[in-house]
Amino acid sequence: MRDQGPGLDRVIQAQIGDKLRAMYGELTDQPVPDRLTAILSRIGAAGRETGS
């Protein structure tokens, strides 16, 4: 079992979350590149063929 230690209180966790959302939020609004979409489609098709 892992030692939990003191951890971060909820206020600090919320502040970290706010900062991360501010830093990376605009990335989620960007379109997915066509090349990546094609790769994900091939992976999905291969998974369906093997039953994964």
Side-chain angles (χ1 to χ4, degrees), residues 1-24:
M1 187 191 261
R2 196 176 108 195
D3 179 16
Q4 294 297 316
L8 298 174
D9 68 25
R10 294 203 181 273
V11 173
I12 300 296
Q13 289 179 22
Q15 290 174 344
I16 291 171
D18 291 343
K19 297 286 186 186
L20 288 171
R21 279 187 286 282
M23 289 173 54
Y24 295 106

Side-chain angles (χ1 to χ4, degrees), residues 2-52:
R2 196 176 108 195
D3 179 16
Q4 294 297 316
L8 298 174
D9 68 25
R10 294 203 181 273
V11 173
I12 300 296
Q13 289 179 22
Q15 290 174 344
I16 291 171
D18 291 343
K19 297 286 186 186
L20 288 171
R21 279 187 286 282
M23 289 173 54
Y24 295 106
E26 69 185 48
L27 290 178
T28 61
D29 296 333
Q30 299 294 319
V32 176
D34 293 337
R35 183 172 178 217
L36 181 55
T37 303
I39 291 169
L40 293 172
S41 293
R42 287 192 302 238
I43 291 170
R48 287 188 296 276
E49 290 174 5
T50 61
S52 299

